[in-house]
Each structure stands twice: as structure tokens, then as C-alpha cells.
């Protein structure tokens, strides 16, 4: 079974945060996919942590290397933008998160996220079972 993971989950693989153990458990799954924007989003989170002096620039770079080797198959996001826009409009949530949602719909699976706001917004959609909150 394929599972879509978003950047909020991926960041937990390389930074010790609440929910890290649950995120790590997903690494044992063979079918992890994400839209190709996941790595840019995760890298931005690393940059933000370095900017806030929670990690060094060198640590951010090391964590990025770990993410680049994560067992996630990147999928082009462009074919999913129309569906993502429709979902974003329906649930009132940003398109970049809804790209993950659209990918899950397309692959008849679900996206796992640590973003509570995204998970809550998705409950307003008819496809609420396609977004699951990572348990801590």
C-alpha cells in the first residue's frame, strides 16, 4: 500500500521533535511517496530552524543529506495542481498542502501529516479519510 507523507513528517525524521517516533515508524513502510515539492518544504523548515539558532547551518546541511536519502519516491506535482486547487478552495487551506491531498486522492490512499491545521481543514472535505494526523 502506498502512503503519501508530507514535509512536516519528513522533518521529524531528522530533527528530534514530538511525534518523531511515529514518523520514524513510517520509514519501515515500502511505499512512501510525496509530491516533489516535499524536499523544498522540508529544506525550508531546516533553514528556519538554523535561522532561529535551534541548529547550526552545518547541521541543517547534514539533515538535508539525510532527507535526500530518505525512502520517499518523489512524484511530479504539476499534474495534481488542478485537483489541489479544487481541494484548497473547498477546504480553505493553502494549495501547497493540498497537493499532498490531491496525490493521495489520485493514488487512492491517504496522506500522513503532523500539521494539525491541515488535518482539521481536511475534515471539512468529503474525502476526509484521505488525510490522517500523525500520532505523537
Amino acid at each position: 500500500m502506498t502512503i503519501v507523507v508530507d514535509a512536516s513528517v519528513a522533518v521529524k525524521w531528522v530533527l528530534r521533535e514530538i511525534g518523531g517516533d511515529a514518523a520514524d515508524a513510517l520509514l519501515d513502510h515500502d511505499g512512501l511517496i510525496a509530491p516533489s515539492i516535499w524536499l523544498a518544504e522540508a529544506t525550508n523548515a531546516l533553514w528556519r530552524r538554523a535561522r532561529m539558532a535551534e541548529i547550526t547551518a552545518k547541521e541543517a546541511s547534514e539533515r538535508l543529506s539525510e532527507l535526500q536519502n530518505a525512502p520517499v519516491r518523489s512524484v511530479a506535482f504539476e499534474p495534481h495542481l488542478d485537483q489541489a486547487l479544487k481541494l484548497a478552495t473547498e477546504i480553505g487551506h493553502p494549495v501547497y498542502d493540498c497537493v499532498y491531498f490531491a496525490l493521495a486522492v489520485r493514488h487512492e490512499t491517504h496522506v500522513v501529516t503532523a500539521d494539525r491545521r491541515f488535518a482539521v481543514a481536511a475534515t471539512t472535505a468529503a474525502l476526509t479519510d484521505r488525510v490522517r494526523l500523525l500520532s505523537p
Side-chain angles (χ1 to χ4, degrees), residues 86-94 98 101 118 120-126 131:
K86 289 174 186 169
L87 290 165
T89 301
E90 180 181 345
I91 69 173
H93 195 78
C98 289
F101 196 175
F118 177 32
V120 168
T123 63
T124 64
V131 179

Side-chain angles (χ1 to χ4, degrees), residues 54-112:
E54 293 178 13
I55 61 175
T56 66
K58 182 179 183 217
E59 289 170 324
S61 181
E62 291 167 351
R63 301 304 189 281
L64 173 58
S65 291
E66 291 177 49
L67 287 173
Q68 289 172 318
N69 292 309
V72 177
R73 182 171 57 92
S74 292
V75 176
F77 66 88
E78 294 86 352
H80 306 284
L81 287 174
D82 187 54
Q83 178 70 22
L85 178 59
K86 289 174 186 169
L87 290 165
T89 301
E90 180 181 345
I91 69 173
H93 195 78
V95 170
Y96 58 84
D97 282 343
C98 289
V99 170
Y100 296 90
F101 196 175
L103 187 62
V105 170
R106 170 71 175 96
H107 286 268
E108 297 181 353
T109 188
H110 60 277
V111 57
V112 177

Side-chain angles (χ1 to χ4, degrees), residues 7 34-44 64 67-69 74 100:
S36 57
I37 60 171
W38 80 271
L39 196 52
E41 286 189 278
T43 303
N44 191 67
L64 173 58
L67 287 173
Q68 289 172 318
N69 292 309
S74 292
Y100 296 90

